[in-house]
Amino acid sequence: MRYNLASYVYEPINTLLEKPTGIRKARRELIGKAYGKVIELGVGTGLNLPLYREDVEVIGIDVSEGMLKKAERKKSPAKVKLLRGDARSLPFPDESFDTAVSTFFLCVVPEKERVLSEIKRVLKPDGLLLTMECSPTRNPVFWNFLRGLSSLTSKITGTDFRIDIGELLRRNGFEVIEEKNLVNGAVRILVAKPSPEP
């Protein structure tokens, strides 16, 4: 599986890119907003685990055994449990979590609408979804480059800069309450909550 292979390069590449782009600082700030019982979708190698506060309980889900093995080595102030699972069918009752976290996961995972439906189902009505995702930039030159890059990366790793995650959230039952752009808009940070049912 490609995610198992990616587990060997994912963290070195992220470590190299995140500090100079401001992503590392933004990641720390975003994870600092997590509260209560947390589900992290696509926990990967556990880059976020050291950033959680000690007063939260985190369940990290990933489909890749290789990623999870690396995540198990991470130390965290929080109480952490790691599970192999598919975000398209989460093994939890409705309204189980106060916070859901997705960093560079929604821009990669297939069947995004199904995943968002599951996130909304397991989040409490007053819960938060914290996301940091690849995004289409509004800079036309940069956008042309990223669009071409996405035609390649979407096939190899699933990463796609062409999908507006904010708009995807709004179309799938979430209200975006905070939004911030990084890396000339190629990375977007969003805080959202479930929209009230009509």
Side-chain angles (χ1 to χ4, degrees):
M1 178 174 275
R2 66 186 182 189
Y3 298 120
N4 286 331
L5 292 173
S7 71
Y8 294 99
V9 296
Y10 177 79
E11 197 156 339
I13 290 172
N14 276 276
T15 302
L16 181 68
L17 295 176
E18 285 197 0
K19 196 166 184 182
T21 57
I23 291 172
R24 186 64 178 171
K25 180 182 177 186
R27 185 191 287 272
R28 185 177 298 277
E29 290 172 357
L30 184 70
I31 299 305
K33 297 177 189 288
Y35 72 96
K37 191 171 180 182
V38 179
I39 182 168
E40 182 171 338
L41 293 310
V43 68
T45 62
L47 280 175
N48 293 330
L49 297 181
L51 308 179
Y52 285 103
R53 298 191 314 266
E54 63 180 9
D55 62 343
V56 301
E57 177 186 347
V58 181
I59 295 180
I61 300 286
D62 206 286
V63 74
S64 165
E65 198 67 47
M67 291 281 193
L68 289 171
K69 282 180 181 175
K70 288 180 170 50
E72 285 170 1
R73 300 178 196 149
K74 296 290 191 305
K75 296 190 185 313
S76 177
K79 180 181 176 185
V80 175
K81 182 176 182 181
L82 300 172
L83 298 173
R84 188 171 183 200
D86 190 327
R88 295 170 293 185
S89 182
L90 294 170
F92 305 107
D94 296 358
E95 300 180 12
S96 296
F97 296 94
D98 301 291
T99 310
V101 172
S102 163
T103 55
F104 302 108
F105 172 71
L106 288 171
C107 59
V108 173
V109 72
E111 298 184 66
K112 299 178 196 321
E113 290 84 0
R114 187 172 163 189
V115 171
L116 286 172
S117 174
E118 278 292 273
I119 293 173
K120 187 174 182 187
R121 180 184 67 77
V122 300
L123 261 184
K124 294 177 182 176
D126 60 349
L128 288 180
L129 170 58
L130 308 176
T131 72
M132 178 187 293
E133 305 292 346
C134 299
S135 169
T137 176
R138 290 174 179 84
N139 178 306
V141 176
F142 197 22
W143 168 233
N144 283 330
F145 166 73
L146 290 176
R147 187 169 54 186
L149 182 65
S150 290
S151 65
L152 177 65
T153 59
S154 63
K155 292 173 185 162
I156 298 171
T157 66
T159 305
D160 198 332
F161 292 87
R162 297 169 293 187
I163 296 163
D164 186 329
I165 299 295
E167 186 55 37
L168 187 71
L169 292 177
R170 293 179 183 98
R171 288 199 317 264
N172 286 275
F174 287 89
E175 176 188 351
V176 176
I177 56 177
E178 290 179 37
E179 192 166 349
K180 179 180 177 183
N181 292 330
L182 290 175
V183 198
N184 210 0
V187 174
R188 192 166 300 164
I189 298 158
L190 303 117
V191 178
K193 63 182 183 179
S195 299
E197 296 295 339

